[in-house]
Amino acid sequence: MPANHHGSLVILGDRGVLITGDPGSGKTRLALGLLTHAAAVGRFARLVSDDQVFLKAANGRLIGEAPSGIEGLAEARGFGPAAIPYERRAVVDLLVRLVPTEVAPRFREDETVNLEGVELPCLRLAERDTESALFAVAAWLAFPPFEGAS
């Protein structure tokens, strides 16, 4: 039985990135920014789920899936849920945890987190700082302008 988690999941290139954090921390804004950036640099980019994600472990990998009521929707603040291209599910390769600025490290720490019994690399990034978080994830993925940097 999948567990429901508060977060947004996107596919960027061939990687699944799960974004978690407190309400109002910028999860959707970062997800949409990452989708826009990936598409702008010619990489595959799709939303899997915004706000809620069903997670389950399968063969040592973590699989995320959108609940049926919110498939293909992302919240556009000031507008509401809006249709967006999506994929039904994805393997999660990276956890991005949006945290208060005062506890976010300045540089990447080689941190891992166990989620549903699966160990994942984790980036703790400052909440509500979409631009900095976007570039940190791009660097982790070796997306432009950071190709070959990881």
Side-chain angles (χ1 to χ4, degrees), residues 115-133:
L115 199 53
E116 300 300 320
V118 177
E119 202 71 22
L120 294 169
C122 177
L123 291 177
R124 285 183 300 126
L125 303 174
E127 61 189 9
R128 292 184 290 280
D129 185 356
T130 304
E131 185 177 33
S132 295

Side-chain angles (χ1 to χ4, degrees), residues 13-62:
D14 63 352
R15 304 288 181 92
V17 178
L18 176 63
I19 305 162
T20 65
D22 289 336
S25 61
K27 295 177 296 296
T28 299
R29 183 177 297 221
L30 177 57
L32 294 174
L34 287 166
L35 293 173
T36 302
H37 179 75
V41 299
R43 303 294 174 92
F44 179 81
R46 285 291 186 276
L47 176 78
V48 174
S49 192
D50 181 40
D51 193 48
Q52 299 292 318
V53 182
F54 287 147
L55 298 174
K56 67 178 177 182
N59 299 317
R61 311 276 320 258
L62 187 64

